[in-house]
Amino acid sequence: MKLVKIIEDLVRFNTETGNKKEIDDCLEYIEKFFDNTNANVKIERFDEASPVIYIRNNNEDEQDVLVLGHIDVVKADKEMFEPKIVDGKMFGRGTLDMKSFAGVAMKSMQYVLDNKLNVKFGVLLSTDEEKGSNSTHSFLERYKNIKANVVLDNDVGGDIGVIINKCKNPVFVKLKATGKSAHGSTPWDGLDANEMLMETIRDLRKIYPYFDETIGKPENTWIDTVHVAKICGGDVSNIISSSAEALLDFRLTETSSLSNLEENLKKSCKRGVEYIIVSSSNPVVMSENEPKILSYKEIAEEVLGYKIKFEQIGGATDARLFAERGAVVIMHSGTGEGMHGDNEWVDLDSVKKLLDIQIKYLEKIAKK
């Protein structure tokens, strides 16, 4: 089956995170793709998380190369689940994030199997990446010894001419303000939790400046940032709010620590305001001089016919879970725009070239 047909088929499944029936149907489609092959395919199911599909050409815990990705998507109108090709671009939900690259992984595995390459190769696709990746965490709990020398992470869509070598650490923090209610006409009789919360955020902004499209981006974007993801407080218009909450999304570089963030939170929180670290992770930082990455980069440049560059992004990646186990992570994908938007598309030529790069890289490893 041709790559474009596989991508079209995958996009037609409405695999919005939590849509169990469509996710199961999509997993069964992928599983069936490897019927009558020597692939070791298993759909792992969990009580506490959605399923994952794990495909290997072997039965071992440690892989030479592992492709990591997901098949779930964000919500979209039903028309977006009918892919359309215009001027070499495929439009539809998941074309860029990231069913095109799941298709690439499937074809890479097919090539490895058909050509009996001497490389231990695996593909791991989760189904809830858009809402926290509990399935990947549950998988790693079950497969405690799984490792990979190299992880190919194609979930950084945007430009095939770029390899991402750094991702920030996402840290989510809840602020809780406790005040004292009073009538809105006599604010001096109460303590306004909303004001306490806003003052705290104002002081945090002295450390982590605010940016938007009007202000523009800083010259150096590899800095710690925060945005207020959610804020709420108060019940009725004429009562001083006695409680308020905010959810903050911090993105920290590798030079920042959780303890430093906590110091900043402590000195910014006003009386009656406390913070709770909801979740934190680790940044993924790969050296531009890492031999395995340079080897991949050389192949990519041969396929593309031009030099590619390294960049950094503020987003997180599930590949961090394997980086923590010692893997070299290569973050590279095809070209496209509109991720999570109404006009999501991927350049099909870039997807085909990504497959070519992946296959050539696997062939090179198999010869070692």
Side-chain angles (χ1 to χ4, degrees), residues 113-156:
L113 294 166
D114 288 348
N115 292 275
K116 297 181 174 58
L117 292 190
N118 183 30
V119 57
K120 292 181 289 183
F121 183 49
V123 175
L124 178 63
L125 301 172
S126 67
T127 60
D128 63 352
E129 188 273 346
E130 300 293 358
K131 290 188 177 179
S133 300
N134 285 337
S135 60
T136 304
H137 287 275
S138 295
F139 175 84
L140 291 175
E141 249 329 286
R142 185 171 291 177
Y143 284 74
K144 294 184 184 297
N145 296 319
I146 189 173
K147 291 182 179 180
N149 293 328
V150 174
V151 168
L152 299 180
D153 180 3
N154 303 138
D155 193 18
V156 287

Side-chain angles (χ1 to χ4, degrees), residues 239-356:
I239 299 294
I240 300 294
S241 175
S242 63
S243 64
E245 291 187 358
L247 181 64
L248 307 183
D249 175 6
F250 288 88
R251 302 293 169 130
L252 307 181
T253 70
E254 77 280 12
T255 59
S256 297
S257 65
L258 195 60
S259 60
N260 180 249
L261 172 61
E262 291 202 68
E263 286 178 16
N264 292 334
L265 287 165
K266 286 174 184 175
K267 66 184 180 184
S268 298
C269 283
K270 300 304 178 186
R271 186 185 66 164
V273 180
E274 62 177 351
Y275 71 88
I276 301 167
I277 304 292
V278 178
S279 65
S280 65
S281 184
N282 290 300
V284 175
V285 179
M286 295 289 144
S287 170
E288 295 180 9
N289 296 314
E290 161 58 49
K292 294 183 177 70
I293 296 178
L294 289 177
S295 177
Y296 178 96
K297 183 173 180 283
E298 182 181 359
I299 291 169
E301 289 174 341
E302 288 175 2
V303 171
L304 296 174
Y306 59 83
K307 294 290 184 181
I308 60 179
K309 58 184 178 179
F310 289 103
E311 286 187 0
Q312 301 80 43
I313 60 172
T317 171
D318 285 351
R320 68 187 184 276
L321 301 172
F322 285 89
E324 292 167 3
R325 299 186 179 203
V328 171
V329 178
I330 303 176
M331 295 173 275
H332 186 226
S333 66
T335 299
E337 290 182 0
M339 187 182 295
H340 294 188
D342 295 333
N343 200 38
E344 183 178 356
W345 59 267
V346 74
D347 179 85
L348 289 174
D349 183 62
S350 74
V351 178
K352 293 172 185 175
K353 285 180 176 175
L354 186 70
L355 175 60
D356 194 11

